[in-house]
Amino acid sequence: MNYSADIPVRGTYDVVVVGAGPAGIGAAVTSARLGRKTLLVEKYGYPGGVGTYGCCTIFFRFGEHGRQLVSGLAEEVIRRMDARGAASLTINDGCGMPEFRRIGDRPLLGKVITKTEDLRVVYHDILSESGVEKLFYSHLCGVIRDGRRVRGIVVDSLEGPGIIESKVFVDASGDAHLVHRAGGRTEQAAADETMHKSVFFMVSGVTPHDPQVNIKRYQELFKAGAVPDKFWNHLGYSYQLDPGIVQLAFAYANGDACSSADMTRMDHELRDRNFEAVEFMKREMVGYEHCFPVNSAQQVCVRSSRHICGVTKLTEELLAKDELPPAPLMYIVRSYGSHSTDQKKGFAPAKRGTLGGFSAIPYGALIPVEFDNVLASGRCISVDECVMDTIRMMTTCMVTGQAAGIAASIAIAGDLSEMTEVPYGDLRQGLLNMHCILD
Ligand SMILES: Cc1cc2nc3c(=O)[nH]c(=O)nc-3n(C[C@H](O)[C@H](O)[C@H](O)COP(=O)(O)OP(=O)(O)OC[C@H]3O[C@@H](n4cnc5c(N)ncnc54)[C@H](O)[C@@H]3O)c2cc1C
């Protein structure tokens, strides 16, 4: 696409990151902390991505099998959230309603529940304190490409369109928008071969009850075909830190996450279905008799969509190997598959498995094949669809973001012309310096 000379150049940076989800925050904070002039572009007005616009408040996969896998910026976020009373471990010791515990100096080995509104502010604070320039309410709408390099991006801000130039660009848009618009190769599974889409929401007014009673009742109703169509085969709920508020998450839709028309259709369907869910809960579940909806995801939330084609692709075969992939950035569990598109056939698709032990995300999965100065991070890196579940959690996405920020910084410092030239030893040391776990 050609852009008119009338569009003004709004700024020139060392590193421009598109998308302020966990991956983009990881990339931008890390790059800025390493002294690079960094801009973070986001279409919403606040940071956090799916986590904060989608009512997805739980940080999963800090650890697995009793071993901590993720630290770095993700742990820093949780420690700050804990200090303001907005993060907690959940413990359900048979008491019915779960018990929430401040984290204190306990290690992060499992899941942590956070308060969404606090998370937005903590992310904002960390970005500002790190020296990241934030350009929110601004939509990436075009890319200026010069052979194997991206020279600039076109951003539609409240002031109007502007061009932003940079030495390195990080695509943390979740849907590989930057690489796609630059004409780079991407991959996307068919709508019925990828994970379903959701609009999570919160209800308030829930009274103390035994969740096991509801789980059992839901299973009976599901078996009897007495739950509404397109409801999961298990009751999806998660207690929030504020009493009486529960996140409900068991309506699903299938469609193309990169089609505005399909996303609009799913938005309508899912919001309708959520009202059905409220009525269902009031009618059938103990403790929910007087519940009412209070908050919902800002848009249809997408687990997996378009991915870059990377120099290395994390495949099922690579995951199954006993040795680690080349240039590992972080450890991941060797499980794959989740969130079938047809929930009536079961929560897990046929291609689900757990191999035990650990694998790792290779640096090459962040490097799009056609570009010398672009990296991807987060859920749009180069992976097989069925291994998405190992890489898509907020914790994991934040680490791949940090890796992108470090690699960009090394490339700039060394005047390297290609992201593939970044010495792995330096990248690894950079991750260790940022308290990431690679031992
Ligand atoms: C329903 C649902 C529930 C989930 N629950 C959990 C959970 O409980 N715990 C967990 O760890 N993970 C959960 N996940 C997964 C996790 O939230 C995501 O995989 C993770 O947020 C991905 O991070 P990301 O930074 O790669 O992308 P995203 O979070 O998708 O962030 C991408 C950002 O880019 C912005 N963007 C996109 N296009 C543009 C553009 N053109 N211009 C400007 N900005 C743009 C978006 O607005 C967004 O802020 C859930 C996912 C879904 C769909």
Side-chain angles (χ1 to χ4, degrees):
M1 194 180 289
N2 289 322
Y3 289 96
S4 145
D6 294 343
I7 300 179
V9 175
R10 284 266 155 72
T12 302
Y13 294 84
D14 291 327
V15 179
V16 167
V17 180
V18 176
I25 293 167
V29 166
T30 305
S31 152
R33 285 182 179 174
L34 291 170
R36 305 296 156 214
K37 188 182 176 199
T38 305
L39 182 77
L40 178 60
V41 178
E42 167 58 46
K43 67 182 179 189
Y44 284 111
Y46 52 83
V50 175
T52 54
Y53 72 60
C55 298
C56 310
T57 51
I58 308 173
F59 281 73
F60 288 107
R61 294 253 167 92
F62 268 105
E64 204 80 35
H65 314 312
R67 178 176 168 179
Q68 187 167 353
L69 297 178
V70 172
S71 180
L73 184 60
E75 175 153 0
E76 185 183 328
V77 168
I78 295 303
R79 299 287 173 202
R80 285 178 72 142
M81 291 286 287
D82 187 40
R84 55 193 283 157
S88 175
L89 307 167
T90 51
I91 297 158
N92 194 341
D93 18 36
C95 59
M97 289 291 272
E99 189 185 332
F100 294 110
R101 297 244 172 104
R102 292 289 285 270
I103 299 166
D105 54 9
R106 290 184 183 88
L108 301 179
L109 295 174
K111 68 178 184 186
V112 176
I113 301 214
T114 61
K115 293 189 185 185
T116 308
E117 198 49 31
D118 291 73
L119 189 57
R120 289 188 178 113
V121 172
V122 165
Y123 280 150
H124 258 309
D125 287 347
I126 292 177
L127 287 162
S128 299
E129 289 161 18
S130 305
V132 174
E133 210 178 301
K134 292 176 264 184
L135 183 63
F136 291 1
Y137 296 96
S138 297
H139 208 288
L140 164 88
C141 58
V143 176
I144 301 166
R145 179 178 176 174
D146 187 1
R148 287 186 57 85
R149 299 191 80 77
V150 167
R151 207 157 46 75
I153 56 171
V154 183
V155 170
D156 198 4
S157 303
L158 298 178
E159 299 83 352
I163 291 171
I164 296 165
E165 298 171 332
S166 184
K167 291 177 184 155
V168 177
F169 291 88
V170 178
D171 187 342
S173 65
D175 302 322
H177 282 299
L178 193 158
V179 170
H180 173 68
R181 280 163 193 252
R185 263 173 47 211
T186 55
E187 288 179 334
Q188 188 183 354
D192 58 354
E193 284 168 19
T194 183
M195 291 183 248
H196 66 258
K197 320 295 183 290
S198 304
V199 170
F200 285 6
F201 69 107
M202 307 280 186
V203 289
S204 186
V206 180
T207 51
H209 58 271
D210 181 351
Q212 294 309 320
V213 172
N214 286 341
I215 290 169
K216 193 160 168 275
R217 170 110 182 105
Y218 189 88
Q219 279 163 356
E220 286 163 3
L221 290 169
F222 188 84
K223 272 196 204 123
V227 307
D229 189 37
K230 296 233 168 177
F231 274 18
W232 290 6
N233 65 342
H234 79 288
L235 181 60
Y237 67 92
S238 103
Y239 295 104
Q240 302 302 295
L241 299 185
D242 293 317
I245 299 194
V246 179
Q247 174 213 63
L248 293 181
F250 55 93
Y252 69 95
N254 300 328
D256 181 352
C258 295
S259 149
S260 293
D262 235 13
M263 287 290 275
T264 310
R265 171 188 59 78
M266 288 188 282
D267 195 279
H268 189 178
E269 274 179 23
L270 284 164
R271 290 187 196 284
D272 244 3
R273 220 163 275 154
N274 283 348
F275 278 102
E276 256 183 278
V278 173
E279 290 311 311
F280 172 84
M281 295 302 281
K282 283 163 88 165
R283 195 174 62 240
E284 304 287 356
M285 299 288 141
V286 294
Y288 289 81
E289 295 82 356
H290 305 292
C291 75
F292 52 94
V294 284
N295 192 11
S296 67
Q298 305 295 302
Q299 64 158 76
V300 172
C301 292
V302 174
R303 293 175 173 83
S304 177
S305 59
R306 195 161 44 204
H307 299 276
I308 65 153
C309 292
V311 167
T312 314
K313 184 179 184 188
L314 185 61
T315 58
E316 198 183 338
E317 293 73 36
L318 205 53
L319 200 68
K321 281 191 178 167
D322 285 332
E323 75 264 27
L324 293 180
L329 302 176
M330 69 173 297
Y331 293 109
I332 49 174
V333 291
R334 300 199 303 162
S335 68
Y336 49 89
S338 84
H339 291 277
S340 156
T341 49
D342 185 353
Q343 294 296 327
K344 295 283 179 197
K345 287 189 184 149
F347 186 62
K351 269 202 166 198
R352 183 173 178 83
T354 301
L355 301 165
F358 301 97
S359 184
I361 298 180
Y363 173 50
L366 277 55
I367 311 175
V369 278
E370 296 100 335
F371 299 100
D372 291 339
N373 67 333
V374 179
L375 287 169
S377 61
R379 65 182 172 88
C380 63
I381 63 172
S382 188
V383 293
D384 262 355
E385 189 60 32
C386 72
V387 305
M388 263 308 280
D389 211 36
T390 58
I391 64 113
R392 71 184 185 90
M393 291 300 143
M394 294 190 280
T395 44
T396 319
C397 290
M398 204 171 273
V399 180
T400 57
Q402 288 202 267
I406 295 166
S409 180
I410 293 170
I412 291 165
D415 212 10
L416 306 178
S417 57
E418 295 178 27
M419 297 312 300
T420 48
E421 290 172 10
V422 171
Y424 173 66
D426 294 358
L427 177 53
R428 180 186 155 84
Q429 190 54 51
L431 284 161
L432 293 173
N433 294 346
M434 297 280 171
H435 307 291
C436 294
I437 296 173
L438 262 171
D439 294 323

